[in-house]
Amino acid sequence: MSGLSCEHIISVSDMSTEDIGMVLDTAESFKEVNERTIKKLPTLRGRTIINLFLEPSTRTRTSFEIAAKRLSADAVNMTGSASATVKGESLRDTAKTLSAMSCDLIVVRHRCAGAADYLAECMDAHVINGGDGMHEHPTQALLDLFTMRRALGRLEGLTVGIVGDIAHSRVAGSLVRALRLVGARPVVIAPPTLLPARPDVLGAEVSYTLDDVLPDLDVAYMLRVQMERAEGMPFPSLREYARFYGMNGARLASARPEMVVMHPGPMNRGVEISADVADSDRSIILDQVNAGVAVRMAAMYLLLGGVDSDAAA
Amino acid sequence: MTLLLRGGRLVDPQIGRDGVADVLIKDGRVAEVGEGLTAPSRAESMDCSGMVVVPGLVDVHVHLREPGREDEETVVTGTRAAAHGGFTAVAAMPNTEPVCDTGSKVRFVRERAEDEGIVRVHVVGSCTAGQAGEALAEIGDMIAEGAVAFSDDGRDVQDAGMMRLVMDYARAFETTVIAHCEEESLVGNGVVNEGEVSTRMGLPGWPAAGEDIMVERNIRLAELTGCRTHLAHVSTAGSVALVRGAKARGLPVTAEVTPHHLFLTEDDVAVYDTNLKMNPPLRTAEDAAALLEGLLDGTIDCVATDHAPHAAHEKELEFEVAPFGTTGLETALPLVITRLVSPGTLDWAGVVRVLAMAPRECLRLDRVALEEGSPADISVIDPEAEVEITCGYFESRSSNSAFLGQTLHGAAREIVVSGRLALRDGEVVAR
């Protein structure tokens, strides 16, 4: 077995189908580690991983931090409120500074698309994109694939409905690409006000009507409604949104019995997903969170040349 | 200063000239054009064989950044860049800090140019006070101090009623309004063309309709007011069609296109290279083809660069945060020669039309021709010179060029500005 074909995990488009398979398979063994009493491997001992989160995040940052620590890496969190325009220091200088501290891997979240590419360009470390603007969030897509595969036993041929604010969602940006790579069928479901200009270029089918495609779905992936938007809301009310695009008990009942419901979190209960669905046995949302740690461990391990080290799980 | 340009190929379609001849320049004017002229004593004589000699090129859309951002460009460095690029005159946009919106500010730029500028600088004043789009700027006062046209370039006057007021008032002075066509409520925070690339890169889109709507609005206002209206940096196929229609109706509308919109497309923004972030953004290959067609059939009058120098540390920011713009003065002529003249798309008369004649006509600047009595503004072009676009190539204080890394051919070897040799053998001649 050789390592990943990519030096960084910035865009799913940079990964091959084999890379994705390798991350998922490696994550399987790390998942088992996470179920032990002693959840720690010496694999990345002595390696330094920096979580550079320049946009507020608790869940993703915690997941990366736990992943790094379970591999015995020295994980350091750096947070801040983004860009030079407010902060004084440019991303370039931040990158150079961190580079001077000799870190091995950097996980970056930033409000601007391309920030992870930029870091990769100006430092020697490996880079994992922890979310760049409206562009991509690849480890989320990888953990989603991992969770789908465990729940449904396969990825190829699955029809996955991604419902909600596709236009502003980096989760959707990565997931659509990743689903295409593994031979699944992504369908983005939203009113045009929540769609990017050309969802077809990412390889997604488009529907404006959840109820039309619901019977075809193996997975209903509900995106978070961003209620904190500054500009005009792209739909009239939360109530209307929930009526047309929310997952609720009635919709669940009309879907395939094996269809599962996913959500990248944090949820707005009663908006994109009703409480009863969120807590039902058809929801695999907590499995996603659980998978997050294992998949991020796999990503870090594989990027840092883990396959060559002797401490594989 | 007396100067004899010997044996160049003179191209000037204004007077039907295309052939080898000499040009004698004396006291800032063309004294004689003909074959076998002899240099008077103490005159400098230059061998121009193999060169193309044309009326001085003019760029009607340049940001000189002075006053306010002298770290990015000044009147001196901007006019050095112009000379290096073969231009004998530029029009300087008013979105400086402070905005050029009064007579005294126009005078400042004009005097800076007269004192230290390498080429001629025509000053464009703002349409509205502070370019805020809310109240008329002192257009008459600025004209009295030498402003040649008015623009809120960098943005558009958003309110149609306000733009009407500007055009109505400008008409009293028979001046030209230059419109940057952008409907801000549609464009929002868009940074790349809305479509494939905005989707793929996860960047906010700037839809073509955001330009087309304002092109149409400004054409309608030109019709309503009769004001001469010049449309800056049109970038869409839709704009070309609208301008074509306006001209067919005989409206006083002219338009320019930039080299970057002609020769680059949104597909070039494949990596987050901020030198390719401009406003309006790079469009599709279909748009670029329509722009070229419009330029060749005369719908689009001229090529102008929208030369927009920016500090390196600002261009090195995240794509969504970095400022819009590419420099253009020093790449425009090599690009036109390499991409249009060499393949036979445009002949030299066409180059003169789009880079010398039409720019002057758009802003109603004094006529310059290769004939006796004309102001001696002349560009001598070496069509074979090889030009490598590297950071070290530029006279501009900034090097944020969308064409960095390209090797082009064809460049100005000499320029003469009002009889003064301002570029000699490719080197700028300081004053």
Side-chain angles (χ1 to χ4, degrees), chain B residues 145-214:
Chain B
E145 296 295 340
V148 298
F150 296 87
S151 180
D152 272 7
D153 184 60
R155 53 186 305 201
D156 206 341
V157 176
Q158 293 300 299
D159 185 90
M162 185 68 229
M163 191 60 156
R164 186 214 168 139
L165 198 62
V166 168
M167 289 191 181
D168 262 335
Y169 191 71
R171 198 162 51 89
F173 298 91
E174 297 183 349
T175 189
T176 306
V177 167
I178 302 174
H180 162 123
C181 300
E182 175 179 352
E183 166 54 68
E184 291 174 9
S185 71
L186 270 177
V187 174
N189 55 357
V191 293
V192 291
N193 186 41
E194 180 172 312
E196 282 191 49
V197 171
S198 66
T199 302
R200 195 179 300 124
M201 300 184 77
L203 290 168
W206 193 138
E211 174 171 314
D212 300 347
I213 284 170
M214 281 311 220

Side-chain angles (χ1 to χ4, degrees), chain A residues 83-85 90-92 110-114 117-118 134-135 177 196-199 201-202, chain B residues 189 194-205 272 313 315-321:
Chain A
S83 169
T85 47
S90 70
L91 185 59
R92 179 188 176 82
H110 195 287
R111 71 181 170 90
C112 291
D117 299 71
Y118 192 65
M134 308 185 296
H135 182 222
R177 290 171 163 98
R198 294 285 304 277
V201 304
L202 301 181
Chain B
N189 55 357
E194 180 172 312
E196 282 191 49
V197 171
S198 66
T199 302
R200 195 179 300 124
M201 300 184 77
L203 290 168
Y272 296 87
H313 70 271
K315 270 293 190 184
E316 279 169 2
L317 296 175
E318 299 83 333
F319 196 94
E320 290 167 60
V321 178

